[in-house]
Amino acid sequence: MSTDTSKYKFNHSMIRVKDPVRSIKFYEHLGMTMIKKVEQPEAKFDLYFMGYDGPKAVSGGKHFSDREGLIELTHNYGTEKDDKYEVNNGNAEPFKGFGHTCISVDNIQAACQRIEDAGYKFQKKLTDGRMRSIAFALDPDKYWVEIVSQNPVDKTEGIKETDLSTYRMNHTMIRVKDPEKSIAFYKDVLGMDLKRTSENKDAGFTLYFLGYGSPASGTTANGVNPTAEREGLLELTWNYGTEKDPDFKYHNGNDQPQGFGHVCVSVDDLGRCTSAPLRN
């Protein structure tokens, strides 16, 4: 028997955190709950899996492994007491690689205001720059969390309420050197499909959104992003020209300085998966 990639799920993305108490508080403020905790005292680390749950959540009530869009917070004991310890958020040279996680929300102006009112900082507010339909909040370790809207941004202006139960952990972004090789890996080896491509030729980059499940809608909720209501996507960011430089490489997050750790796919049968031929 062969593995069935239609049953695969983009289960989680792992990031290392300095202080789990403050990190959990932040992601709970974004409406997530702790789906699972794994304690490893002998190895001196704990894992906290955060995600959206409840009746309106895409994966609400499902088993931990039967979900998409989780964030795994890894805490190595003692970092919270080390004044010099900092994680690498993946967005500063020369250690770029991981980019951000992203949540989609119902009323983006109200959602961002609620985050700011709680005392959290932003890398980019809605009113910054030319792109007025996205924002980037900063978690306690200065990881970027993109915020996009599920509804037309011009229609949510002036709305003061936001419903956390409608939020989605939309995607995780990583930078890639060669998009053809990376897309082939995630499609042919891991069984994902390309849901959306966003070319930004003037800025010198293209974004590729991959994931499992049905194709992306041909229509869009907010005039910009037809995948805003989905959960568990992987965004590959390609900056033009990197594929031509034999010495170029991105930081993988597991070499020093550490930060991002990995992405995880849950499969139907691990044994069949690891021995299966590539998908045509």
Side-chain angles (χ1 to χ4, degrees):
M1 294 178 65
S2 62
T3 185
D4 183 358
T5 58
S6 70
K7 296 181 180 179
Y8 286 17
K9 295 183 182 296
F10 180 18
N11 185 248
H12 69 259
S13 304
M14 187 277 264
I15 55 175
R16 297 173 177 88
V17 300
K18 175 177 176 135
D19 185 338
V21 174
R22 65 177 188 171
S23 294
I24 290 169
K25 181 180 179 181
F26 172 81
Y27 288 100
E28 286 181 340
H29 188 72
L30 298 185
M32 296 184 186
T33 60
M34 190 189 305
I35 305 299
K36 183 177 182 180
K37 179 181 179 181
V38 178
E39 297 181 340
Q40 300 285 341
E42 293 182 357
K44 298 183 179 180
F45 70 87
D46 292 335
L47 311 176
Y48 305 84
F49 293 86
M50 308 297 294
Y52 290 105
D53 212 3
K56 295 181 181 180
V58 175
S59 301
K62 292 185 178 180
H63 185 270
F64 156 77
S65 64
D66 191 30
R67 291 174 176 262
E68 293 197 295
L70 297 179
I71 297 179
E72 175 189 345
L73 308 178
T74 294
H75 171 233
N76 294 293
Y77 297 175
T79 54
E80 74 282 7
K81 301 175 183 177
D82 184 352
D83 293 337
K84 296 181 179 179
Y85 179 84
E86 291 184 0
V87 301
N88 166 31
N89 72 5
N91 290 302
E93 296 290 3
F95 305 114
K96 280 189 175 181
F98 171 71
H100 59 259
T101 55
C102 173
I103 63 170
S104 65
V105 301
D106 56 349
N107 305 318
I108 193 168
Q109 295 91 347
C112 289
Q113 188 62 54
R114 179 178 174 275
I115 294 170
E116 186 174 359
D117 289 346
Y120 295 112
K121 305 297 183 182
F122 281 76
Q123 178 67 26
K124 178 199 176 298
K125 294 184 178 181
L126 276 176
T127 53
D128 294 340
R130 292 178 298 175
M131 299 182 68
R132 300 299 179 92
S133 60
I134 63 171
F136 285 88
L138 293 173
D139 90 344
D141 289 294
K142 298 183 180 180
Y143 288 114
W144 297 10
V145 180
E146 184 179 6
I147 304 161
V148 300
S149 183
Q150 300 167 5
N151 297 299
V153 176
D154 58 337
K155 302 297 184 182
T156 57
E157 186 73 45
I159 298 177
K160 303 300 182 182
E161 303 297 325
T162 182
D163 183 356
L164 301 182
S165 70
T166 65
Y167 287 18
R168 305 279 188 262
M169 216 307 275
N170 183 250
H171 70 258
T172 295
M173 186 278 264
I174 58 175
R175 298 174 177 90
V176 298
K177 174 177 178 173
D178 186 327
E180 290 187 7
K181 291 181 179 179
S182 294
I183 291 171
F185 172 78
Y186 287 103
K187 289 182 64 176
D188 299 338
V189 178
L190 295 184
M192 292 184 180
D193 293 311
L194 183 62
K195 306 298 184 183
R196 172 182 170 233
T197 300
S198 176
E199 293 186 345
N200 296 271
K201 293 182 179 180
D202 290 342
F205 69 89
T206 295
L207 313 176
Y208 305 90
F209 293 83
L210 296 101
Y212 298 107
S214 60
S217 173
T219 59
T220 173
N222 60 10
V224 177
N225 187 344
T227 58
E229 294 187 358
R230 300 183 74 112
E231 194 160 65
L233 297 176
L234 179 66
E235 175 188 352
L236 307 181
T237 294
W238 169 47
N239 292 291
Y240 301 168
T242 54
E243 78 285 1
K244 299 177 182 178
D245 184 350
D247 297 322
F248 182 87
K249 66 177 181 179
Y250 283 116
H251 191 273
N252 64 14
N254 292 304
D255 297 327
Q256 295 295 340
Q258 294 183 324
F260 166 77
H262 60 259
V263 294
C264 172
V265 173
S266 61
V267 301
D268 58 341
D269 186 289
L270 189 59
R272 293 201 299 267
C273 168
T274 54
S275 61
L278 299 183
R279 186 178 70 168
N280 293 325

